[in-house]
Amino acid sequence: MRELAGRRDLIGVNTATLGHREPLEVVARRVAAAGFGWITPWRHEVDEDHPERAAAALRAAGLRAGGYCRTVYLSGADAAQRRAAVEANRRALEAAAVLGAPFLVAVVGGLPEGATDLAGCRAQVLEGLAALQPTAQATGVRLALEPLHPVYATDRSVLNTVAQAVDWCEQLDPGAQGWVGIAVDAYHAWWDPALETSIARAGRRIVALHVCDWLRQTRDPLQDRGMMGDGVIDLRRLRYCVEAAGFDGPVEVEIFSRLDWWQREPDGVLRTCRERLWSVC
Ligand code: ZN
């Protein structure tokens, strides 16, 4: 297993961790000063008419884009909505390329309002992802399929386990050309009894490892993620499995915490993130 301590090149921060309270260039300076080498911004922080400005801000801070968050939902209620989603996601892939991000995180969308055909919804999402293949290949930006905890199946994602993500990769990219990959997020995946076998199956398709912790007394399934070490996830074991499968990218901290960490002073949050990455992950 890789030693993270002192290795700026192996650790990154998702900007959501600081609660989107400041402009990207300010966040980038803080992240770099705290000893991280990578940053993953969100679309609403980037002017996609001029993504070169955000790219310049990251470069000026001495950071690389770890990824780009994220797709709009591909599970629209009708064909026109689904086409519009594909179009918006093409634009995001193009912006990601300008940022130098190796992948766009794909959060695929939940079951549309009024719908009950879960299998049909999943098939439509796969169609939407397939429609993005030419742009992913032309830009060189992969789509990182991120399975979300099943509690989000109605409102955020009908892709819910790493095993399902591997199945989708095999369907979408049977020749393993590499235009789709998988983002493993500890918060979404830790409970899954098949996690370790699925990670081994995923192998080098894993392009991202997101870490935080699952608090025993979770107050909000969306925005009460814990700091690494404050919850129940064996993060070192997870990193061991992902690296044993061939993952060699940076470990990314992604903490949505409206009730706690977003209320705290950003430099202190980043210091704690770095220390916990070293001591817990
Ligand atoms: Zn994530």
Side-chain angles (χ1 to χ4, degrees), residues 14 69 105 146 148 183-186 188 210 225 252 254 256:
N14 185 298
C69 277
V105 173
E146 182 162 339
L148 262 52
V184 175
D185 187 317
H188 296 301
H210 298 169
R225 292 182 175 210
E252 178 180 318
E254 185 184 42
F256 302 89

Side-chain angles (χ1 to χ4, degrees), residues 93 102-104 136 140-144 178-181 204-207:
L93 283 165
F103 56 81
L104 172 68
V141 176
R142 297 172 118 180
L143 277 167
W179 67 273
V180 279
R204 299 189 65 87
R205 291 190 198 267
I206 298 172
V207 296

Side-chain angles (χ1 to χ4, degrees), residues 239-259:
R239 183 164 74 88
Y240 168 78
C241 292
V242 167
E243 291 182 7
F247 174 71
D248 59 4
V251 182
E252 178 180 318
V253 179
E254 185 184 42
I255 303 176
F256 302 89
S257 175
R258 181 173 50 84
L259 299 165

Side-chain angles (χ1 to χ4, degrees), residues 7 42 75 99 122 133 135 150-151 157 211 214 238 263 265:
R7 291 287 302 274
W42 284 64
S75 59
L99 293 173
R122 285 178 168 144
Q133 178 177 358
T135 312
V151 76
S157 177
V211 296
W214 184 283
L238 177 62
Q263 310 294 331
E265 185 275 312

